[in-house]
Amino acid sequence: MYARSTTIQAQPTSIDDGVTHVRDVVMPALEGIDGCVGLSLLVDRESGRCIVTTAWESEEAMRAAAERVRPLRERAAEMFGGTTEVEEWDIAVLHRDHRSHEGACVRAIWVKVEPDQADRAIDIYKVAALPMMEDLEGFCSASLLVDRATGRAVSSETFDSLEALDRNREKAAADRLIGIQEAGAEVLEVCEFELALAHLRVPELA
């Protein structure tokens, strides 16, 4: 399965309007496009950084829908009052302990490995990193999106609440160091977000 992420650098004062637009306009439109299996929206109200991720049954479905999705993306960017950056990914891993609820938060970690080491890094994520994540307070789910051509990847860990995210931050950082060293990866960025919308219907991929 595949994903397309659109990062919007929004005006903080326009975030609520943007979230409403994605929920009420973009999501219903995507539901009518063959091969789309849902959408999620991450929001950082302090920085204005918002990430809309759409999931697709196949790379072919994602590419076939590109022209229909483009005006939706452009209008969403207008509602957020920001600029966009688009990336496409292979959904390498998705594991749920339970569904998220209102108030859930996400810790996203962008990493990079040598492209020829991507499959090894995915295996380490499944075997070593996921069990450590499951032990963190408030764990809901985790996903790993990979760009095999560049070796870039992003792990998204969802937790029940901001309080749980705060309390597990130190342990998560220590655990992450172990996994990163084993995978031979470089951490590019770690960010925390509000999970504003969670409507991905991606099956278990772990």
Side-chain angles (χ1 to χ4, degrees):
M1 303 193 74
Y2 287 79
R4 179 185 288 119
S5 64
T6 300
T7 300
I8 303 172
Q9 192 56 49
Q11 297 296 323
T13 55
S14 298
I15 286 176
D16 286 333
D17 288 342
V19 171
T20 299
H21 178 79
V22 172
R23 183 192 65 212
D24 295 346
V25 177
V26 176
M27 281 204 321
L30 287 172
E31 287 173 358
I33 300 178
D34 287 344
C36 184
V37 288
L39 168 152
S40 70
L41 171 59
L42 306 181
V43 169
D44 179 350
R45 293 180 182 273
E46 283 193 20
S47 70
R49 186 181 191 181
C50 303
I51 304 176
V52 182
T53 301
T54 54
W56 302 86
E57 291 178 350
S58 66
E59 186 175 14
E60 292 75 20
M62 183 173 69
R63 301 216 181 284
E67 291 305 314
R68 293 181 65 182
V69 170
R70 182 174 291 110
L72 295 173
R73 179 169 61 244
E74 292 172 352
R75 179 56 179 152
E78 290 175 8
M79 294 301 295
F80 278 104
T83 57
T84 63
E85 178 186 357
V86 180
E87 296 177 280
E88 295 181 348
W89 311 89
D90 175 1
I91 305 177
V93 180
L94 191 141
H95 172 64
R96 290 186 188 91
D97 179 81
H98 58 274
R99 290 276 180 182
S100 60
H101 302 286
E102 185 175 352
C105 293
V106 172
R107 180 179 295 119
I109 303 99
W110 283 264
V111 302
K112 182 175 175 61
V113 298
E114 292 298 325
D116 62 359
Q117 295 297 305
D119 287 333
R120 177 178 175 273
I122 291 168
D123 288 340
I124 291 170
Y125 186 90
K126 291 177 179 179
V127 173
L130 267 181
M132 290 189 289
M133 291 177 204
E134 288 182 294
D135 284 340
L136 294 173
E137 178 182 347
F139 175 81
C140 292
S141 62
S143 66
L144 180 66
L145 309 184
V146 178
D147 180 346
R148 293 175 183 275
T150 64
R152 291 183 72 248
V154 56
S155 169
S156 297
E157 307 163 11
T158 303
F159 299 95
D160 287 325
S161 65
L162 177 60
E163 292 75 19
L165 189 88
D166 286 341
R167 286 193 292 264
N168 70 36
R169 188 177 292 116
E170 186 174 336
K171 184 176 189 308
D175 291 347
R176 182 164 60 248
L177 182 60
I178 295 170
I180 288 298
Q181 289 176 339
E182 189 170 350
E186 173 191 0
V187 175
L188 303 176
E189 191 176 9
V190 180
C191 294
E192 295 176 352
F193 298 89
E194 165 195 338
L195 181 57
L197 297 170
H199 291 272
L200 289 176
R201 303 186 303 278
V202 179
E204 182 83 4
L205 298 169

